[in-house]
């Protein structure tokens, strides 16, 4: 390292790279998870093909109304709409592949991977390739040198040293398993041990550092797992795909969709393999840099790395571009970067776009495969918890990267990263992963109908990472411990909680919006009008808006976890505000900056809490005035007392929700604009406080409803009735303090984006604001009192909402599955598809029922030919009544079965069936009651029905 | 040290053929004594395997390696490959090719005893071919021209010079010492 450049570089480079964990372990775990999910998916696909070789599953879907020309939403909804009939068809015809199949396959693959992991060291260290150092080093000169290096490297016991005499590279490699490691010295290195002792030392120390950093086991575990996948799962999948493509040629209607689906899966597999290679190389490159730094710390000469730089310098732009692309796939960083990292550890603290992108994409692929598998085996309830677990990995990988970058920036006085870039690349990775999997695009088209909904993932990632960066800064600046790790763990747990909640929502519900709206707005509105008492004409618009919002808000709004996750977002930073400011540099910082006499930490304090609370006060005022405005407006169309708790209350609650959320959003936006430092955290605290006090205002207004004159809404007589408004507050709480906080965070991010875009214009103003901001400091005791009061209130309210209420929930609704499914999602059917649907309908139960129906009618008609049929009641009871009962049973069977595919034939058939059903019921009642005229009329109906039946059946069959 | 590093039986015979590995060891101990460890290591395998492994390419991007793909200009592989080829040509065996690895592998499977490659006395033309081949291989491996020339001449000298015990035997017969 040359003198003149050493100054500024060393200032940044001196941060101990181990101030926080590198996070590579998490990335390895993600690769292992991907191996498991991909293997289980392939095993499940093959098992499905084996148990259902004739594709009865597809037949059931066709009979249910599946249209292969539809998009994925239409296909899914056609089976959803068929409901129990579809399930019954699958139960009857498709032997369910046991969940044990993929589990057993996974077990076998894991055993194979463990065996390979166990055997790899023996293979790499086989006698024909390497020789032990002790066997050839008669005088023990090399052994003594190696022993000294083992002591320098700080290893408790020496590994086995072997020589690969035929390898002429001046290198070495380490391999082994579970603390039995071997360092293999290449012939070229051994030959140079005297002529280039520094180079020899650097290489051996580097390899010993790999052992000390525990890189060997996890690396070879990944190698073993991946080789097992490539040798077993991938070929099995390719054979399956080839057979599938061959089979798809048999059908002209289903074939194209099937080929597209298989092609889609093949592309996914290819890209996934590329991602795994990229991820693995990326992780290994990080580990190499750590080993380099350890070797340097052990006294290796940096010149040994410079030799690599001279050797690998690439002239020309095109060559350089190719070299940087090729470098992405290599397990070692380019030499210039390795040499640079020795002088400056900055590289180890920088979150890399590729790392984040690949982590996001691979995690989504694994998550989608997991959820598909769980749904296939009817354990859909496990999707949410498993998605939450996986979200931990997705959030922790960029989270650790961000914390490291922030810690370094705080220690060196550099600009602290905003987290937006990290969030962006993670979000893009998540979205690309989703695009690749067939969960959203389905097997019928390459792109989903609404790819713009993927923006939700990007916003989610950007928001979470923006918060993580600011919280990390707040926490790092005030952390007093010996090590920073507990602060990181608290911060990551919070990031995980929030990300997991939203990611689990995405996996279970959010994803569907990429396909389109899965709920019929008109169906919900009609059900609301029917089910809620006191519908008020003239407010259809409000009801329609509620019907649109309900499918989104209901699952999230009723989940107390949303409220807790939102509470974490703003209470955790608030608690840091209550900490005593640091007076001297903490021990962790002194250790991290081991050879810098003056530590630049401190100075920057979090923004004044008083200022944030003042902004929250403005938000609270907006909430209160909004609530008062809503009550005044509701008063204008106040219905009679008995009709105030249906539609009127629903509309009132919706307006209150909007009013309070507006106050909270206003506080967030204002805080984001006026607070210079940590604006997102300030915005969240302001929004949370405003929402809390806003709701308190609503509670006060609601409790005194009836005494408010022009504001009276639900009450007409003046009493203090807190219990009257409390149920409404219970409904609003998770929405306002849960979803409302997230909406405020989104608005604050937007405001920050605008502020950043306008920064050049506002720079001087912001500087002035900054001076004001740090000038007035509030007292610690006051600050702590405020923080304690707010935290206590939120925790008590969240607990109250989370506890199960004693009353049974009244979930009676007239909404049927058919009404809930939007008709527009299922498109018109071509004659070819209709013919296939009809064929499936007939084969999978329709024909059976029709034959039985016809037989039962014939039985009745034959009995009617007897003279006693219309005169003898006993004859009717013994010969005709069973036929009537059978017709009723067949009619029930038809009701439980899929509707007839052809709409016109369906109408005729349903009319006929209704006639027969009614006649069957009349016949039985007439015979039981001795009602002759009813009996005769039912028999006449049977005669009519049997006359029309052949014609109607012909129309069903389309000929 | 095992028996492979000791003078083999072939050397004791009076027909002046010598094991390739012995000549390699002699050249390396003169030209690059630091590489003797490698020669000893290689000598633990049979000649077929050694020749196959020396001809194989090294991986520089192994996981957990140092990553330096720099090939050291080693004397041992140059001399061993050149002498192995010369020995094969002189005895009429096939040189190199895909078959070599397969042969090594099959022999291992069927547990056939390893053949010790020997080099007979070479004609001046053959010696010149060896010299040129050593020069070529040394230059390929990145050795400086002067060092390459010196090595080539040293190899030829070693091939021409008989070991001391053979010299003594030949003097007793009244024969001319080899020059």
């Amino acid at each position: 390292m040359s003198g003149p450049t050493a100054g500024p570089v060393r200032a940044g480079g001196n941060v101990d790279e181990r101030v926080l964990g590198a996070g590579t372990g998490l990335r390895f775990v993600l690769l292992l998870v991907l191996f498991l999910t991909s293997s289980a998916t392939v095993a499940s696909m093959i098992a499905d093909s084996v148990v259902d070789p004739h594709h009865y599953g597809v037949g059931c879907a066709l009979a249910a109304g599946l249209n292969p020309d539809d998009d994925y939403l239409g296909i899914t909804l056609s089976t959803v709409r068929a409901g129990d009939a579809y399930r019954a068809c699958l139960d009857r015809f498709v032997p369910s592949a046991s969940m044990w199949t993929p589990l057993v396959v996974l077990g076998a693959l894991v055993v194979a991977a463990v065996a390979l992991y166990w055997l790899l060291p023996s293979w790499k260290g086989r006698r024909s390739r390497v020789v032990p150092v002790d066997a050839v080093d008669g005088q023990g000169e090399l052994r003594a040198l190696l022993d000294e290096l083992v002591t320098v490297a700080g290893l408790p016991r020496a590994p086995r040293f072997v020589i690969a005499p035929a390898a002429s590279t001046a290198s070495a490699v380490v391999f082994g398993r579970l603390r039995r490691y071997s360092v293999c010295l290449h012939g070229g290195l051994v030959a140079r041990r005297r002529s280039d002792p520094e180079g020899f030392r650097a290489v051996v120390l580097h390899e010993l550092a790999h052992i000390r950093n525990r890189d060997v086991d996890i690396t070879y575990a990944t190698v073993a797992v991946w080789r097992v996948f490539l040798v077993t799962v991938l070929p099995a999948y390719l054979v399956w795909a080839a057979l599938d493509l061959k089979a798809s040629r048999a059908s002209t209607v289903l074939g194209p969709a099937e080929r597209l689906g298989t092609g889609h899966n093949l592309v996914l597999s290819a890209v996934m393999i590329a991602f795994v290679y990229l991820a693995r190389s990326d992780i290994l490159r990080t580990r190499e840099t750590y080993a380099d730094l350890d070797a340097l710390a052990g006294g290796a000469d940096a010149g040994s790395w410079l030799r690599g730089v001279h050797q690998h310098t690439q002239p020309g732009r095109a060559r350089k571009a190719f070299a940087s692309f090729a470098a992405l796939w290599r397990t070692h960083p380019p030499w210039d970067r390795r040499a640079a990292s020795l002088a400056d550890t900055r590289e180890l603290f920088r979150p890399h776009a590729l790392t984040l992108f690949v982590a996001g994409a691979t995690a989504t692929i694994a998550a989608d495969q997991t959820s598909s598998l769980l749904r296939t085996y009817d354990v859909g309830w496990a999707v949410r918890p498993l998605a939450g677990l996986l979200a931990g990995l997705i959030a922790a990988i960029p989270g650790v990267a961000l914390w490291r970058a922030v810690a370094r920036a705080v220690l060196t006085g550099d600009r602290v990263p905003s987290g937006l870039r990290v969030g962006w690349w993670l979000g893009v990775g998540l979205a690309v992963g989703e695009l690749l999997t067939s969960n959203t695009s389905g097997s019928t088209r390459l792109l989903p109908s609404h790819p713009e909904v993927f923006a939700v993932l990007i916003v989610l990632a950007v928001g979470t990472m923006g918060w993580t960066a600011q919280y990390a800064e707040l926490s790092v600046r005030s952390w007093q411990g010996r090590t920073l790790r507990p602060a990181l763990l608290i911060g990551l747990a919070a990031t995980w909680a929030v990300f997991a909640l939203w990611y689990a929502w995405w996996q279970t519900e959010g994803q569907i919006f990429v396909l389109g709206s899965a709920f019929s707005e008109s169906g919900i509105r009609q059900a609301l009008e029917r089910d809620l008492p006191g519908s008020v004409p003239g407010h259809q618009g409000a009801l329609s808006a509620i019907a649109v919002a309900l499918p989104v808000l209901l699952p999230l709004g009723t989940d107390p976890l949303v409220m807790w996750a939102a509470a974490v977002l703003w209470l955790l930073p608030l608690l840091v505000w209550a900490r005593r400011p640091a007076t001297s540099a903490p021990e962790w910082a002194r250790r991290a900056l081991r050879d810098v006499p003056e530590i630049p930490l401190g100075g920057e304090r979090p923004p004044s809490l008083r200022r944030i609370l003042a902004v929250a006060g403005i938000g609270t005022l907006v909430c209160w005035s909004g609530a008062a405005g809503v009550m005044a407006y509701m008063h204008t169309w106040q219905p009679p007392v008995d009709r105030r708790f249906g539609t009127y209350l629903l509309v009132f609650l919706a307006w209150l929700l909007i009013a309070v959320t507006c106050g909270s959003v206003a506080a967030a936006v204002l805080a984001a604009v006026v607070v210079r430092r940590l604006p997102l955290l300030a915005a969240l605290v302001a929004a949370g406080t405003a929402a809390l006090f806003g709701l308190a205002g609503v509670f006060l207004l609601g409790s005194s409803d009836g005494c408010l004159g022009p504001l009276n809404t639900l009450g007409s007589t003046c009493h203090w009735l807190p219990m009257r408004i409390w149920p409404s507050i219970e409904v609003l709480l998770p929405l306002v303090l849960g979803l409302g906080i997230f909406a405020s965070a989104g608005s604050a991010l937007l405001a920050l984006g605008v502020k950043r875009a306008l920064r050049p214009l506002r720079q001087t103003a912001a500087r002035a604001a900054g001076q004001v901001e740090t000038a007035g400091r509030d007292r610690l005791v006051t600050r702590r009192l405020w923080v304690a009061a707010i935290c206590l209130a939120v925790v008590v309210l969240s607990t109250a909402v989370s506890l199960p209420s004693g009353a049974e929930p009244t979930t009676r609704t007239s909404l049927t599955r058919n009404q809930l499914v939007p008709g527009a999602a299922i498109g018109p059917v071509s004659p070819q598809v209709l013919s296939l649907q009809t064929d499936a309908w007939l084969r999978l139960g329709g024909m059976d029922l029709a034959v039985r129906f016809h037989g039962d009618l014939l039985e009745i008609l034959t009995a009617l030919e007897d003279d006693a049929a219309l005169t003898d009641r006993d004859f009717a009871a013994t010969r005709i009544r069973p036929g009537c009962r059978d017709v009723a049973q067949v009619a029930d069977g038809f009701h439980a079965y899929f509707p007839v595919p052809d709409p016109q034939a369906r109408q005729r058939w349903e009319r006929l069936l209704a006639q027969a059903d009614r006649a069957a019921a009349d016949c039985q009642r007439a015979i039981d009651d001795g009602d002759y005229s009813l009996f005769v009329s039912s028999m006449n109906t049977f005669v009519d029905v049997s006359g029309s039946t052949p014609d109607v059946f012909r129309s069903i069959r389309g000929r | 040290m095992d028996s492979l590093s000791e003078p083999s039986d072939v050397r004791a015979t009076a027909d002046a053929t010598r094991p390739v590995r012995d000549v390699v060891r002699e050249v390396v101990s003169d030209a690059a004594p630091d590489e003797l460890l490698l020669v000893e290591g290689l000598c633990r395998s049979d000649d077929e395997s050694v020749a196959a492994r020396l001809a194989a390419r090294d991986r520089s991007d192994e996981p957990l390696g140092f990553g330096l793909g720099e090939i050291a200009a080693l004397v041992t592989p140059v001399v061993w490959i050149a002498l192995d080829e010369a020995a094969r040509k002189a005895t009429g065996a096939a040189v190199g090719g895909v078959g070599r690895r397969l042969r090594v592998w099959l022999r291992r499977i069927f547990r056939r005893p390893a053949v010790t490659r020997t080099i007979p006395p070479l004609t001046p033309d053959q010696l010149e071919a060896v010299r040129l081949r050593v020069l070529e291989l040394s230059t390929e491996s990145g050795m400086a021209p002067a060092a390459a020339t010196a090595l080539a001449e040293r190899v030829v000298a070693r091939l021409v010079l008989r070991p001391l015990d053979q010299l003594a035997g030949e003097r007793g017969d009244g024969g001319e010492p080899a020059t």
Side-chain angles (χ1 to χ4, degrees):
Chain A
M1 282 166 286
S2 59
T5 56
V9 173
R10 286 193 66 80
N14 263 334
V15 179
D16 180 5
E17 70 277 5
R18 288 172 201 280
V19 62
L20 287 172
T24 42
L26 292 166
R27 283 147 67 192
F28 268 125
V29 171
L30 184 55
L31 287 190
L32 294 180
V33 169
L34 188 63
F35 160 75
L36 291 177
T37 57
S38 305
S39 305
T41 303
V42 170
S44 161
M45 284 195 305
I46 294 174
D48 279 354
S49 305
V50 171
V51 296
D52 183 18
H54 302 298
H55 305 294
Y56 279 112
V58 180
C60 287
L62 277 170
L66 167 124
N67 180 2
D69 302 330
D70 265 346
D71 67 353
Y72 198 51
L73 182 70
I75 287 176
T76 314
L77 287 179
S78 57
T79 55
V80 167
R81 189 175 56 178
D84 295 339
Y86 179 63
R87 177 52 47 202
C89 180
L90 289 182
D91 288 347
R92 185 173 163 201
F93 292 102
V94 185
S96 57
S98 164
M99 196 177 151
W100 292 108
T101 317
L103 285 181
V104 166
V105 171
L106 274 192
L109 290 176
V110 169
V111 168
V114 170
L116 183 61
Y117 166 76
W118 208 255
L119 293 174
L120 266 178
S122 313
W123 171 251
K124 286 185 90 74
R126 63 192 182 277
R127 276 184 56 203
S128 60
R129 190 171 169 270
V130 302
V131 287
V133 165
D134 296 331
V136 290
D137 183 27
Q139 294 164 354
E141 154 258 338
L142 179 58
R143 183 77 234 183
L145 187 57
L146 295 172
D147 285 343
E148 184 229 322
L149 291 175
V150 169
T151 315
V152 169
L155 290 183
R157 69 175 182 181
R160 177 171 168 257
F161 281 101
V162 294
I163 297 176
S168 49
T169 40
S171 188
V173 68
V174 58
F175 56 86
R177 59 166 183 258
L178 292 180
R179 289 196 279 171
R180 291 177 62 189
Y181 306 120
S182 300
V183 176
C184 175
L185 310 171
H186 289 184
L189 184 72
V190 174
R192 276 186 178 179
R193 67 192 181 280
R194 288 206 192 91
S195 60
D196 179 20
E198 289 303 332
F200 181 82
R201 208 179 156 80
V203 174
V204 177
L205 282 174
H206 172 98
E207 296 308 319
L208 295 176
H210 276 310
I211 297 178
R212 191 166 155 255
N213 296 343
R214 282 176 284 187
D215 295 338
V216 186
D217 292 312
I218 190 78
T219 302
Y220 282 96
T222 317
V223 168
V225 156
W226 194 238
R227 285 186 186 171
V228 165
F229 181 85
L230 290 182
V231 171
T232 57
V233 182
L234 191 66
Y237 171 70
L238 291 176
V239 169
W240 177 86
L243 291 176
D244 198 51
L245 284 175
K246 195 178 157 204
S248 72
R249 284 162 50 191
S251 168
T252 48
V253 181
L254 294 173
E258 203 166 339
R259 278 194 291 278
L260 193 62
T262 310
H264 195 280
N265 272 333
L266 282 171
V267 170
L268 165 70
S269 308
V271 176
M272 190 189 81
I273 289 171
F275 280 162
V276 169
Y277 271 109
L278 281 174
R280 197 183 78 119
S281 309
D282 187 33
I283 299 167
L284 288 173
R285 283 198 295 273
T286 312
R287 303 313 309 166
E288 293 301 334
T289 312
Y290 271 85
D292 282 348
L293 286 166
D294 282 355
L296 193 72
D301 178 21
S304 309
W305 281 268
L306 289 174
R307 185 185 303 147
V309 179
H310 300 318
Q311 198 188 336
H312 290 89
T313 308
Q314 300 282 348
R317 193 176 290 174
R319 278 193 178 188
K320 268 187 186 153
F322 177 74
S324 7
F325 176 74
L328 297 176
W329 305 86
R330 296 181 72 87
T331 58
H332 290 73
W335 282 96
D336 51 348
R337 204 172 294 164
R338 282 177 81 170
S341 296
L342 296 177
D344 184 352
T345 54
R346 189 180 308 226
E347 196 60 26
L348 285 173
F349 289 94
R350 186 177 294 159
H352 292 279
L354 179 81
T355 309
L356 303 164
F357 172 79
V358 171
T362 46
T364 307
I365 295 171
D368 283 352
Q369 285 175 336
T370 311
S371 63
S372 294
L373 278 170
L374 293 174
R375 288 192 183 109
T376 304
Y377 295 102
D378 280 340
V379 273
W381 56 267
V383 171
R384 213 178 145 99
L386 277 177
L389 272 181
L390 212 71
L393 272 182
I394 308 176
I397 290 169
V400 170
L402 207 45
W403 268 81
R404 288 177 61 84
V406 169
R408 185 188 170 279
V410 169
L411 285 171
T412 56
D414 279 0
R415 203 171 71 81
V416 178
S418 65
L420 302 185
R421 187 182 144 273
V422 169
W424 164 257
W425 283 111
L426 176 72
V428 170
L430 290 172
V432 168
E434 286 285 357
L435 264 179
L436 286 168
T437 56
S438 53
N439 277 24
T440 48
S441 49
S443 52
T444 54
R445 42 172 75 195
L446 286 176
L447 275 179
S449 315
H450 296 279
E452 68 277 6
V453 179
F454 286 133
V456 171
L457 282 175
I458 296 177
V459 169
L460 172 61
V462 167
T464 321
M465 289 304 132
W467 182 88
T468 304
Q470 294 196 9
Y471 177 74
E473 187 187 347
L474 183 67
S475 187
V476 166
R477 286 200 195 279
S478 61
W479 190 256
Q480 292 293 312
R482 281 186 70 237
T483 145
L484 198 55
R485 277 159 212 246
L488 167 82
L489 287 179
I490 296 170
L492 283 188
T495 307
W496 178 7
V498 175
F499 190 78
L501 176 93
W502 283 101
Y503 196 65
W505 168 80
W506 172 264
Q507 282 292 331
T508 48
E509 282 139 34
Q511 227 174 32
I512 300 165
F513 293 101
V514 177
L515 311 169
S517 174
F519 303 99
S520 159
E521 174 259 317
S522 58
I524 297 175
R525 198 188 63 228
Q526 283 159 13
L528 283 176
E529 283 169 0
R530 218 174 13 250
D531 296 346
L532 292 175
S535 74
V536 185
H539 290 275
Q540 294 302 318
L543 267 190
S544 294
I546 290 171
V548 170
L550 264 187
V552 185
L553 293 184
L554 211 57
L556 282 167
T558 51
D559 188 356
L561 282 180
V562 179
M563 198 174 161
W564 285 107
V568 164
L569 277 187
W570 64 284
L571 294 189
L572 209 58
L574 198 60
L575 285 173
V576 180
W577 257 285
R579 267 189 214 152
R580 187 183 297 280
T583 48
S584 63
E587 191 180 342
W588 72 264
R590 286 202 298 273
R591 284 161 60 159
L593 290 169
R594 50 208 161 191
D595 40 359
V596 170
E598 277 183 36
I599 294 170
L601 192 71
E604 297 268 10
R605 286 182 175 181
S608 153
L609 187 62
R610 193 193 296 167
R611 192 179 173 84
I612 296 170
L613 289 181
V615 172
I618 297 173
T620 308
L621 284 178
V622 174
C623 289
W624 289 351
S625 46
V630 166
M631 289 176 86
Y633 163 68
M634 293 303 288
H635 183 77
T636 57
W637 57 286
Q638 193 183 30
V641 178
D642 61 324
R643 296 180 67 188
R644 285 182 198 164
F645 293 91
T647 315
Y648 183 71
L649 178 62
L650 186 68
V651 174
F652 177 46
L653 282 180
W655 277 115
L656 277 182
L657 174 66
I658 291 170
V660 181
T661 308
C662 279
S664 141
V665 167
V669 170
L670 195 59
V673 171
V674 299
V675 178
R676 190 177 58 91
R677 299 203 46 258
L678 309 178
L680 184 60
L681 299 189
L684 278 163
V685 171
T689 315
L692 185 68
F693 286 103
L695 268 183
V698 170
F699 179 70
L700 291 177
L701 283 171
S703 300
S704 47
D705 194 357
C707 315
L708 301 175
L711 300 189
N712 285 345
T713 309
L714 297 175
S716 296
T717 49
C718 185
H719 295 291
W720 172 252
L721 283 174
M723 288 321 288
R724 183 174 52 201
I725 192 70
W726 176 247
S728 306
I729 297 287
E730 265 190 319
V731 172
L732 288 177
L733 259 174
L735 287 166
V736 170
L737 282 179
L739 280 184
I741 300 295
F742 287 108
S744 307
S747 315
L749 272 176
L750 204 65
L752 281 173
V754 174
K755 188 176 147 186
R756 188 178 264 204
L758 299 176
R759 183 180 287 168
L761 305 174
R762 292 178 40 87
Q763 221 156 27
T764 45
R767 208 170 290 139
Q771 284 162 4
V772 174
E773 193 180 314
T774 46
R777 309 298 312 175
D778 25 71
R779 286 177 54 209
L780 184 65
V781 179
T782 326
R783 216 159 58 213
R784 284 186 171 172
L785 277 176
W786 269 108
V787 169
I790 292 172
C791 289
L792 191 72
V794 173
V795 168
V796 167
L797 286 173
S798 303
T799 313
V801 172
S802 308
L803 290 175
S805 62
E808 280 289 309
T810 49
T811 49
R812 279 196 308 275
T813 168
S814 62
L815 198 58
T816 62
R817 205 193 293 262
N818 243 330
Q819 276 180 315
L820 198 58
V821 171
I826 301 171
V829 177
S830 68
Q832 291 88 349
V833 172
L834 183 63
S835 144
L836 273 185
Q837 289 177 341
T838 308
D839 188 51
W841 186 89
L842 288 168
R843 282 169 191 258
L844 299 175
M847 183 61 91
D848 274 0
L849 286 168
V851 168
R852 272 177 59 195
F853 183 69
H854 207 66
D856 293 338
L857 283 180
L858 269 179
E859 195 185 326
I860 294 171
L861 293 182
T862 313
L864 273 180
E865 283 174 8
D866 197 300
D867 292 341
L870 295 174
T871 54
D872 184 351
R873 190 172 164 192
D874 287 341
F875 179 86
T878 52
R879 293 288 308 280
I880 296 180
R881 198 180 182 287
C884 296
R885 190 195 56 219
D886 290 348
V887 168
Q889 282 176 354
V890 174
D892 286 346
F894 269 119
H895 289 310
Y897 190 58
F898 304 110
V900 172
D902 182 0
Q904 284 173 353
R906 188 191 310 148
Q907 274 186 359
R908 290 185 66 190
W909 168 242
E910 281 173 358
R911 217 178 299 131
L912 194 73
L913 194 66
Q915 265 181 299
D917 202 15
R918 203 169 44 247
D922 287 351
C923 147
Q924 292 179 78
R925 203 171 60 243
I927 293 171
D928 292 347
D929 299 349
D931 185 340
Y932 182 75
S933 60
L934 186 63
F935 179 70
V936 171
S937 118
S938 67
M939 290 307 114
N940 281 333
T941 311
F942 277 134
V943 172
D944 290 347
V945 167
S946 67
S948 320
T949 302
D951 190 35
V952 174
F953 268 119
R954 263 195 299 279
S955 75
I956 290 175
R957 295 165 74 117
R959 44 183 117 108
Chain B
M1 234 27 86
D2 63 349
S3 61
L4 281 171
S5 59
E6 290 169 7
S8 61
D9 295 340
V10 185
R11 185 172 177 168
T13 56
D15 64 1
T17 61
R18 297 161 66 198
V20 166
R21 55 187 56 209
D22 286 0
V23 184
V24 173
R25 187 183 288 112
E26 286 162 15
V27 174
V28 169
S29 63
D30 291 346
D34 284 350
E35 291 182 33
L36 271 177
L37 282 183
L38 309 185
V39 179
E40 296 307 334
L42 290 171
C43 283
R44 290 165 65 88
S45 304
D46 60 87
D47 290 74
E48 282 279 5
S49 312
V50 172
R53 278 160 53 197
L54 288 174
R57 285 193 62 189
D58 299 326
R59 275 186 67 192
S60 66
D61 199 37
E62 256 183 312
L64 304 185
F66 186 68
L68 194 61
E70 187 187 0
I71 308 285
L74 296 183
V75 167
T76 311
V78 168
V79 178
W80 200 306
I81 292 172
L83 290 182
D84 182 75
E85 286 173 5
R88 284 165 197 271
K89 279 182 188 157
T91 54
V95 179
V98 188
R100 183 194 280 165
R101 276 179 171 275
L102 188 66
R103 264 201 316 279
V104 173
W105 188 66
L106 286 174
R107 211 184 52 240
R108 242 183 246 148
I109 287 182
F110 294 110
R111 296 181 181 275
R112 295 265 302 277
V115 181
T116 305
R117 181 87 53 222
T118 57
I119 190 156
L122 301 178
T123 63
D125 285 350
Q126 287 171 325
L127 285 172
E128 178 58 12
V130 169
R131 194 182 74 83
L132 289 175
R133 184 67 178 136
V134 171
L135 260 181
E136 185 190 348
L137 287 170
S138 327
T139 315
E140 269 175 22
S141 78
M143 213 178 279
T149 311
L151 179 64
E153 281 168 6
R154 204 186 287 265
V155 172
V156 172
R158 271 291 159 194
L159 287 173
V160 173
L161 285 169
R162 301 283 168 83
L164 286 176
D165 53 346
Q166 282 186 23
L167 281 176
E170 283 171 8
R171 272 206 197 100
D173 296 339
E176 292 265 318
T179 53

